[in-house]
Amino acid sequence: MGQQTVKGIGASAGIAIGKAFVLPAWEWDIPEKNIDVTELAGEFERLYQGIRRSRDEIEGMKREMSGIIGEENSFIFDAHLAILDDPEFVREVQDIIRRQYKAAEVAVKEVIDQFVSMFDMIDDEYMKERSADIRDVGNRLLHHLLGTPAITLPSDNQPFILVTKEISPSQLANLNPERVLGVVTMIGGRNSHAAIMARSMGIPLVISLEDQLIAPIQTGEELIVDGDRGLVIIRPDDAVRHQYEQRRRLQQEHRRKLHENRFAPSVTKDGVPLTLLANISSQKELDAAMEDGAEGVGLFRTEFLYMDRDAFPDEEEQFAVYREAAEKLGEKPLAIRTLDIGGDKVLDYCPFPEEENPYLGYRAIRFSLDRRDVFKTQIRAILRAGLHGNVKLLLPMISSMEEWWAAMDVLREAERELAEAGIPYRSGMDVGVMIEVPAAVLIAGELAKEAAFFSIGTNDLIQYVLAVDRMNDHIAHLYDPFHPAVLRMIKMAVDAAKKNGIGVSVCGEMAGDPEAAALLVGLGITHLSMSARSLLVVKDRLSRLESGECAKLAKRLMKCKTGKEAADLNHRFLEAAIERGSPV
Ligand code: PEP
Ligand code: MG
């Protein structure tokens, strides 16, 4: 059979070329096995030993992987530990052993299957990911009970491309990134824990590929994984392989060159200064961003400070974190966003209501204004950190003036308390608003008269403008940054900011997307905030474009009737502009 190209979704960028290793699916054929009443105690001990070993393994992986994926991402393993510690899970297994005299592995398999089908029935991406976690833990436990190794990797020590129905975080963690060139899965979400990890590990990943096309792949067959375009090429012919090898070489070479240039100022080809900032959620990400020449932090997502623990962080703890970041950055700006919890991010230690539509629910500023104690503690810590650098405060998900005023009341109260207690803090700190709800765009004129700056959060703005859940892969094709409604919303927010003389930046994924950054510059945005991994590429791309060309491009895109028309036109423009300049 000849070459075949299959389209999926690119969940982690980059190109991998190599031989497939097909991981057998989660199919356990566990024969029914009963035990004798005299064996009960021994069987329980076998179960507990399996759980202990699984736990030790997961804890070991968590320690090892936190160096690679960052501590903020190692919460993934806590989800697995929580399943092993779940009294309901253990009780159900014990019950089957005790009442039906079944062997431990048979009981575990039954309970895992039951949990999995229960979670699978819930039509919710988050729950489906939890079901993958349960299968993953079940897998590990069964391997211990049966005495078989967890993943049997090819024994020849050669690097490979992993092909599997789905990949779990712990499977990924078990794999040596040097040996795994890329990963291809049939199911999975772009925002799944595994996808987050693949991106942090720099492993190209393509997900959501059709079963019929992927299932026939045999171990040893040659594959190309194109994580940039979401393609998998099976049995590539020589010409295609050659093209991809060249592209990969150029990418590597290109990145090396860009890195040399990391501290040069960011400017367009005609010398218009730009400010490229980083989105961070931890000190580790801040270090990586500074290493790649970030000119400040446009978005510090503080929610990760609140997750993976059993109580809210107190003022001192937060102050220490914010202060360290402010001091590292010195004069460079640090926009600290107040807690954006809710949606897909909940806190184990704080009860959240059952919600039909969590993204439209108890989230971000709505939570903060409801829990003013929590909000005020955070604001006090930020105000205090303000004395140690160029700190700004950013409010997420504002959709009305009342919310803005209420937040400012809490801020004034925090200032008053600090002053009365004689605790030093920065007074008159710049407070900005995230523009990520359509209502905020429509009242941007009013907001801009009171806020110090806008930061446009396109991730949420797109989901709310288009009514497309950003976590839902079934409708991922509708999540369109180039949709005319999105472009108009961005332009309205920028115009309102300019008219009122306040700063405006973009901190959603669009800012770090080299395909979209020129358009944003063309709309008059000079401050772009993105993940550290995008800084070098975006800086390079914008240095090849004239600001006037970008403005013309934006004008033309604003006139397009559909997102596709705009995206195509944008792509053609960039290709032509880059061809005119030196090749990438
Ligand atoms: C956004 O919505 O664009 C944004 C930057 O915030 P988050 O992705 O954290 O919701
Ligand atoms: Mg947001």
Side-chain angles (χ1 to χ4, degrees), residues 337 340 363 434 436 457 459-460 470:
R337 182 176 70 183
D340 182 2
R363 195 192 154 188
M434 290 279 295
E436 50 185 350
N459 304 343
D460 278 313
R470 65 193 256 195

Side-chain angles (χ1 to χ4, degrees), residues 262-263 285-294 328-329 332 535:
R262 63 197 183 279
F263 297 125
E285 284 181 8
L286 174 58
D287 295 342
M290 291 182 78
E291 167 57 25
D292 274 3
K328 271 188 191 162
L329 283 158
K332 295 182 177 137
L535 285 163

